Amino acid sequence: MSAAPLLEIEGLAKSYGAVRAVDGVSLHVDHGEICGLIGPNGSGKSTFFDCATGLSQPDSGKVRLDGLEITGWSLDRIAREGRMLRSFQKTVVFSALDVEENLVIAGQMFAFPNVASTFGIGAAARTRVESLRIQARELIAAAGLWEVRHMPAGNLSGGQQKLIQFASMLMPKPRLILLDEPMAGINPKLIERVMDSIRYANRELGVSFLVIEHNIDVVTSLCARIVVLDQGRKLAEGTPEEIVVDQAVREAYLGG
Ligand SMILES: Nc1ncnc2c1ncn2[C@@H]1O[C@H](COP(=O)(O)OP(=O)(O)O)[C@@H](O)[C@H]1O
Ligand SMILES: [Mg+2]
C-alpha cells in the first residue's frame, strides 16, 4: 500500500457542446474506502465516471490510480492494468448460462489473452478454469446465490441478476469498483443483499468503492465520506452526518 490515494482525480472537466457536464471536479478514494457520490439528476455523476474510467476522455484534468497517471488510457486498459472496473445502470448477464458459468466466464474474459484459452482449450487453461470455479463458488455463496447456482441466469429475478453481475465483477480481482446506481429498480429486500455484497467485497476482498446512489439511506449507511455534485461542480463533501444537515445540499435537492 502506497501513501497516494487509490484514486485521485484533479480538476476534471467535460463539456458536451455548450453543456458543462463536469466543471472542474477533484475527488479521491482512499485505499479500503467506500466513498459516495451523490447529486441531483444531470449533475454530472455518470459523466464523471465515464471520464475517470476511460469510457470517454476528459477535456482537462488528471486521473491517477495509486500514484500512476492514467489520464487518456482506454476503458479496457484501465480495467486490465489498473484493475479499476465500473458498472452501468443496466444489468447485463449471460441469460442462457447458469450462475456459476456466468462468473467463470467473467473471470476467463479477463484472465486469458485469446479465444482458445478463454474457452478452456488446452491443459493449462483447464487448470486455470478449475481455480476460477473455486473462486466463483466462494463468491456465489457469499452473495446468497448458492441454491440457484445451476439455474440459467435469465430465469432469475432482476435483483438476483444484479447480484450475479456484481459477483462477476469481483472475479478479475479488481482493487476499485465504480458503481453507477447499483440499487436502481430493485426491491428493499434485495437492496440489503446488494449492500451486504458490497460490504463483503470491501472487508473480505479489500475492494474499494466509489458509489453513485440516489437512495440516501443506502449512501449514508455504506459510506464514511460523501461527495455531492451539483451542475457539474463539487457542492459539498463530508461525513453522512455533515451532508444530511448541509444547507446547500438541501437546497440543491429541494430546489430552494
Ligand atoms: N453523451 C452525452 N451527450 C450530450 N450531453 C450529455 C451526454 N452525457 C451527459 N450529457 C449531459 O451532461 C449533463 C450531466 O449528465 P450526467 O453525467 O448523466 O448526470 P447524472 O449522472 O448526474 O444524472 C446533463 O446535462 C446531460 O444531459
Ligand atoms: Mg447518471
Side-chain angles (χ1 to χ4, degrees):
M1 193 181 284
S2 69
L6 181 52
L7 177 67
E8 189 175 26
I9 292 172
E10 228 180 81
L12 193 87
K14 176 78 178 178
S15 291
Y16 292 106
V19 178
R20 287 172 183 246
V22 177
D23 193 8
V25 174
S26 298
L27 179 156
H28 75 277
V29 180
D30 284 321
H31 292 266
E33 186 180 20
I34 305 178
C35 181
L37 183 63
I38 66 171
N41 273 332
S43 57
K45 305 179 298 294
S46 293
T47 303
F48 184 86
F49 268 25
D50 294 344
C51 293
T53 55
L55 184 69
S56 56
Q57 295 304 326
D59 301 331
S60 56
K62 284 193 180 0
V63 183
R64 284 188 212 93
L65 200 52
D66 210 7
L68 177 70
E69 189 172 340
I70 60 163
T71 323
W73 285 24
S74 67
L75 182 76
D76 188 61
R77 187 172 176 204
I78 289 176
R80 282 171 197 274
E81 287 180 44
R83 290 168 54 219
M84 170 160 84
L85 302 182
R86 71 166 291 173
S87 74
F88 295 89
Q89 239 178 279
K90 190 170 160 24
T91 311
V92 185
V93 295
F94 297 106
S95 306
L97 299 180
D98 75 18
V99 176
E100 195 171 295
E101 292 307 323
N102 262 273
L103 268 69
V104 171
I105 287 282
Q108 283 171 296
M109 289 197 302
F110 260 81
F112 297 112
N114 61 52
V115 170
S117 51
T118 295
F119 291 98
I121 300 164
R126 276 193 295 275
T127 309
R128 180 86 178 106
V129 169
E130 232 5 84
S131 79
L132 287 173
R133 198 170 292 286
I134 291 165
Q135 187 199 354
R137 288 184 183 149
E138 279 171 22
L139 292 173
I140 287 166
L145 294 168
W146 188 255
E147 263 70 59
V148 296
R149 71 190 183 281
H150 295 312
M151 300 254 293
N155 291 10
L156 301 177
S157 73
Q160 286 172 313
Q161 293 186 14
K162 279 242 175 220
L163 290 166
I164 295 168
Q165 177 175 259
F166 183 77
S168 296
M169 289 184 86
L170 299 173
M171 287 298 294
K173 301 196 166 112
R175 37 184 190 171
L176 177 63
I177 297 180
L178 277 57
L179 295 173
D180 197 344
E181 299 192 28
M183 309 302 173
I186 63 176
N187 70 48
K189 207 172 143 207
L190 271 153
I191 286 181
E192 286 298 327
R193 283 177 61 188
V194 175
M195 284 172 74
D196 287 346
S197 291
I198 295 171
R199 290 195 180 104
Y200 167 83
N202 180 247
R203 286 184 197 151
E204 305 299 323
L205 309 175
V207 184
S208 305
F209 288 91
L210 181 61
V211 186
I212 296 175
E213 181 50 53
H214 273 299
N215 184 328
I216 198 74
D217 293 335
V218 168
V219 183
T220 53
S221 148
L222 271 181
C223 307
R225 189 165 58 87
I226 297 170
V227 174
V228 187
L229 293 190
D230 184 37
Q231 297 181 39
R233 293 179 181 219
K234 197 199 275 185
L235 180 70
E237 176 173 359
T239 63
E241 295 75 21
E242 288 164 345
I243 293 302
V244 293
V245 299
D246 188 292
Q247 197 53 36
V249 174
R250 298 175 82 98
E251 281 169 15
Y253 273 95
L254 304 171

